[in-house]
Amino acid sequence: NMDEVRAKGVENIKKAIEKTREAGFRVSIAGAGVVFDELNRIAAVDFPVLTALSYGVIIAVLFYITRSPYIVAYAVAAFTASLAWLLGIMGMLKMNINMVSMAAPSIVLIIAVENFSHINSHLLEGAKSFRELDVKEILARMSKAFAPAFIAMATTVVGFISLAWTKMKIIQEFGI
């Protein structure tokens, strides 16, 4: 695993130059491996705060669009189930959680909100609220919205799957 080899190599270099630092010399190391490991470390520290803020903004926008706490609760429940499924698959495939894979839940949420907004616009076309619609009309509008939402989702899935053919392991795992 390249991530483990790189991390071990950087750690060995840091240990080797420690004696030079103890002697009073200022030593710095650079390179893609060092930058990557440092970004992963920073992301692991800052990611929970930034993620919570971004989810809060997305949920607030969703509430503003729908004006319904029930719809927001359904969307959050669907996202939570998707996130659990995503992390479960990553665990079963023994994938590393890194700065790229940490973005996946946010992308899943953005895609879910995008699809919801698309379906919601079809459902509420010409109506002020869901309460104005009867079940037959809701089903007719949902069937009208299904094809565009499915095509949008399918193209997104194909885009992510296509990342599996890249030579960079971190991007492959992100695509999967």
Side-chain angles (χ1 to χ4, degrees):
N1 182 348
M2 185 60 188
D3 291 337
E4 293 171 6
V5 171
R6 180 183 49 251
K8 189 176 269 187
V10 170
E11 190 60 35
N12 288 338
I13 291 169
K14 286 180 180 178
K15 287 178 183 176
I17 64 173
E18 191 59 38
K19 291 181 182 177
T20 307
R21 286 187 178 147
E22 290 171 0
F25 293 99
R26 183 176 166 180
V27 179
S28 298
I29 57 175
V34 176
V35 171
F36 185 81
D37 286 344
E38 194 61 22
L39 285 174
N40 274 340
R41 188 188 63 75
I42 291 169
V45 172
D46 294 338
F47 187 75
V49 173
L50 296 175
T51 301
L53 288 173
S54 66
Y55 290 175
V57 168
I58 292 170
I59 289 169
V61 168
L62 188 59
F63 181 76
Y64 177 76
I65 291 170
T66 64
R67 307 222 192 267
S68 170
Y70 300 111
I71 293 173
V72 173
Y74 293 141
V76 169
F79 166 71
T80 303
S82 298
L83 178 60
W85 194 38
L86 172 72
L87 293 175
I89 289 171
M90 287 178 69
M92 286 190 311
L93 295 175
K94 296 183 174 145
M95 295 178 165
N96 294 331
I97 294 180
N98 52 44
M99 67 181 191
V100 175
S101 64
M102 282 192 270
S106 296
I107 292 171
V108 169
L109 181 59
I110 291 167
I111 291 168
V113 169
E114 180 268 329
N115 281 336
F116 171 79
S117 298
H118 190 82
I119 291 168
N120 192 45
S121 69
H122 279 283
L123 281 174
L124 292 178
E125 190 175 334
K128 292 183 181 177
S129 75
F130 288 111
R131 292 182 184 110
E132 292 180 15
L133 305 172
D134 64 359
V135 174
K136 286 183 180 180
E137 193 170 0
I138 288 173
L139 292 174
R141 290 176 182 217
M142 286 292 288
S143 65
K144 181 180 171 186
F146 177 78
F150 179 79
I151 290 169
M153 182 213 46
T155 57
T156 302
V157 167
V158 168
F160 276 109
I161 290 172
S162 71
L163 295 176
W165 282 277
T166 185
K167 293 181 181 180
M168 295 178 64
K169 184 170 176 60
I170 190 170
I171 303 298
Q172 285 176 344
E173 289 180 355
F174 181 72
I176 293 170

